[in-house]
């Protein structure tokens, strides 16, 4: 049997039962709550591998420190890996693997939950009822049926969102660098440019990875083109939208509803109980001051099925490496040069 010592950074109570269920004796594991950073990287000394989550910092500076401390493998317990310098890891000979698909349903269903809760004012309704106010004041919503919904990113999660919203009778528009013909045929998804999608849709939902091309993709220029009162939902990564531009569009009603499961400055805040600390994030305070803004703390993935699949694939990645095999979830950085784009970088699996 091949043994491997693994240090799990950012480990949380909610995931431990799922991991303990599937951890084999060949993995000698330690779980710590600390986020990976340049400061905490030396904690990995003596381990073969580390496992990290979305807010851990695996930038090239940290990769150098991991290499110095003998780390050979990084298993990301998430689908998104924008926090990992894949190119630096590849160069350092550190193998990185993620969990590309654990339950697109979990995130897609949470996306629709945000749409419905915002539209049907469920939080306000619940509060009014608890105050014995059984009127319908301030509770009017709109039918989703026949509304135009724009899906930005029609990969695994965006495709499930399309399927669900087709069931609601929505008209679906999409923007993606790759067209998914099956969505066009099955759900009448109409692919168009980002500008057109933004100008036509009543609801816009984002399902892109965060990378050099998508950072701040949704900014003032596009927000100004959107329909007045648009509903904007982001369950992908916070920095895909320019938060300050979104905030600026709230007082005028240009953005009528905002649903966020991710936030540009969520690191060290989301997933933690900060109720006894004094948070000094005025942007988050401002966002939370609007009744038409709903924020959830990066919880879209948190279903039993997703957590169990994340644990299973993480253990698969680690045991493959422990046995000297390749995991099918390894991430390799490649650079693509095209005539229209001077240099486009991609990470492939
Ligand atoms: P995916 O890779 O299956 O789909 C992403 C889609 O985006 C692909 O169709 C791709 O062609 C498209 N795309 C990539 N770059 C683009 C660009 N520059 N312009 C236009 N289209 C582009 O990923 P997925 O599984 O659907 O997940 C999407 C993202 O959701 C993840 O990268 C992650 O950041 C986020 N996520 C969030 C949670 C959560 O709990 N909130 C959980 C899982 C994933």
């Amino acid at each position: 049997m091949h043994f491997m010592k693994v240090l799990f950074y950012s480990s949380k109570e909610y995931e431990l039962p799922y991991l303990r269920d599937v951890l084999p004796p060949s993995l000698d594991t330690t779980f710590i709550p600390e986020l990976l950073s340049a400061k905490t990287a030396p904690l990995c000394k003596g381990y073969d591998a580390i496992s990290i989550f979305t807010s851990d910092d695996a930038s090239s500076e940290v990769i150098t420190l991991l290499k110095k401390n003998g780390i050979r493998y990084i298993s990301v317990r998430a689908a998104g890996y924008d926090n990992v310098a894949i190119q630096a890891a590849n160069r350092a000979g550190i193998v990185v693997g993620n969990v590309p698909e654990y339950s697109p349903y979990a995130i897609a269903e949470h996306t629709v939950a945000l749409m419905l809760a915002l539209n049907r004012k469920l939080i306000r309704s619940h509060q009014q009822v608890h105050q014995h106010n059984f009127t319908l004041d301030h509770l009017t919503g709109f039918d989703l049926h026949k509304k135009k919904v724009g899906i930005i990113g029609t990969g695994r999660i965006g495709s499930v969102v399309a399927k669900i919203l087709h069931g609601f009778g929505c008209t679906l528009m999409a923007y993606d660098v790759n067209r998914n013909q099956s969505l066009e045929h099955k759900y009448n998804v109409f692919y168009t440019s980002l500008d057109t999608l933004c100008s036509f849709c009543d609801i816009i939902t984002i399902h892109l990875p965060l990378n050099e091309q998508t950072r701040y993709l949704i900014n003032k220029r596009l927000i100004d083109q959107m329909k007045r009162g648009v509903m904007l939902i982001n369950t992908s990564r916070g920095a895909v939208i320019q938060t300050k531009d979104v905030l600026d569009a709230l007082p005028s009603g240009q953005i009528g509803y905002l649903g966020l499961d991710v936030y540009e400055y969520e690191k060290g805040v989301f997933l933690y109980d900060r109720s006894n600390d004094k948070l000094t994030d005025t942007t988050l305070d401002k966002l939370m001051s609007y009744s038409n803004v709903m924020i959830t703390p990066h919880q879209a993935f948190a279903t039993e099925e997703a957590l169990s699949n994340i644990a299973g694939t993480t253990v698969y990645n680690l045991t493959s490496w422990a046995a000297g095999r390749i995991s099918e979830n390894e991430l390799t950085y490649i650079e693509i040069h095209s005539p229209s784009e001077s240099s486009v970088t991609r990470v492939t699996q």
Side-chain angles (χ1 to χ4, degrees):
M1 197 184 302
H2 307 268
F3 286 93
M4 179 181 263
K5 283 192 76 179
V6 191
L7 180 64
F8 281 70
Y9 282 92
S10 293
S11 69
K12 302 277 188 314
E13 280 302 319
Y14 65 76
E15 61 179 345
L16 289 182
Y18 297 92
L19 280 162
R20 290 205 173 110
D21 261 3
V22 288
L23 279 172
S26 60
L27 296 179
D28 178 354
T29 51
T30 307
F31 298 93
I32 58 169
E34 283 85 356
L35 278 166
L36 173 63
S37 65
K39 208 168 131 206
T40 61
L43 296 173
C44 73
K45 196 167 179 56
Y47 290 87
D48 306 295
I50 61 164
S51 177
I52 60 171
F53 195 57
T54 51
S55 283
D56 290 290
D57 171 9
S59 57
S60 45
E61 180 200 359
V62 176
I63 294 285
T64 308
L65 296 171
L66 294 174
K67 173 80 180 166
K68 216 165 100 187
N69 283 286
I71 290 301
R72 288 183 296 141
Y73 305 99
I74 302 175
S75 180
V76 185
R77 305 193 296 286
Y81 44 80
D82 46 276
N83 54 330
V84 186
I86 302 291
Q87 189 178 24
N90 288 169
R91 280 194 185 139
I94 296 177
V95 181
V96 184
N98 69 337
V99 185
E101 176 167 339
Y102 47 82
S103 169
Y105 311 102
I107 299 96
E109 289 169 15
H110 190 79
T111 301
V112 178
L114 286 173
M115 286 176 193
L116 290 170
L118 279 165
N119 170 19
R120 306 311 296 265
K121 327 259 183 323
L122 293 184
I123 303 294
R124 184 161 193 162
S125 168
H126 179 77
Q127 286 164 347
Q128 287 185 189
V129 165
H130 276 248
Q131 289 158 359
H132 292 179
N133 172 0
F134 301 104
T135 68
L136 301 189
D137 296 347
H138 314 291
L139 300 184
T140 309
F142 57 83
D143 286 5
L144 277 179
H145 184 246
K146 290 224 161 104
K147 288 295 173 301
K148 292 191 191 69
V149 183
I151 304 173
I152 303 181
T154 53
R156 298 176 185 93
I157 297 168
S159 297
V160 178
V161 170
K163 180 180 176 182
I164 297 172
L165 293 179
H166 178 71
F168 275 87
C170 298
T171 303
L172 302 175
M173 295 179 93
Y175 169 72
D176 195 299
V177 282
N178 298 310
R179 267 172 56 190
N180 178 336
Q181 291 191 344
S182 131
L183 296 182
E184 293 177 306
H185 294 140
K186 281 204 224 151
Y187 310 125
N188 299 323
V189 171
F190 176 72
Y191 280 88
T192 184
S193 69
L194 189 55
D195 286 49
T196 307
L197 180 150
C198 287
S199 335
F200 275 91
C201 289
D202 305 291
I203 300 174
I204 296 173
T205 180
I206 308 166
H207 304 287
L208 294 172
L210 176 62
N211 57 36
E212 290 152 50
Q213 286 80 40
T214 62
R215 182 174 296 273
Y216 297 150
L217 191 74
I218 303 300
N219 52 27
K220 181 171 167 28
R221 186 188 73 77
L222 282 171
I223 293 168
D224 285 347
Q225 287 185 44
M226 291 176 191
K227 275 180 152 176
R228 195 178 155 71
V230 66
M231 179 186 286
L232 181 65
I233 307 284
N234 186 14
T235 61
S236 65
R237 284 290 180 268
V240 174
I241 65 178
Q242 174 66 268
T243 311
K244 83 175 167 41
D245 292 354
V246 168
L247 193 54
D248 288 348
L250 285 165
S252 66
Q254 174 59 14
I255 291 181
Y257 307 82
L258 177 66
L260 302 178
D261 184 54
V262 286
Y263 168 57
E264 192 176 351
Y265 311 108
E266 70 177 63
K267 186 175 172 174
V269 180
F270 283 18
L271 305 177
Y272 294 90
D273 181 358
R274 304 287 304 268
S275 53
N276 292 321
D277 310 342
K278 201 163 163 37
L279 273 182
T280 51
D281 185 339
T282 50
T283 305
L284 188 58
D285 285 341
K286 279 187 201 149
L287 284 170
M288 289 193 299
S289 70
Y290 290 93
S291 61
N292 54 345
V293 174
M294 188 165 197
I295 301 175
T296 52
H298 205 138
Q299 80 177 79
F301 72 97
T303 66
E304 290 172 9
E305 292 79 2
L307 289 170
S308 160
N309 292 337
I310 290 171
T313 306
T314 299
V315 165
Y316 158 79
N317 288 343
L318 292 166
T319 49
S320 300
W321 296 330
R325 292 193 303 265
I326 291 171
S327 155
E328 62 186 41
N329 305 316
E330 290 177 13
L331 300 161
T332 315
Y333 181 94
I334 54 165
E335 205 158 354
I336 301 169
H337 293 271
S338 76
S340 58
E341 297 159 291
S342 53
S343 159
V344 183
T345 50
R346 299 256 187 279
V347 174
T348 56
Q349 284 181 304

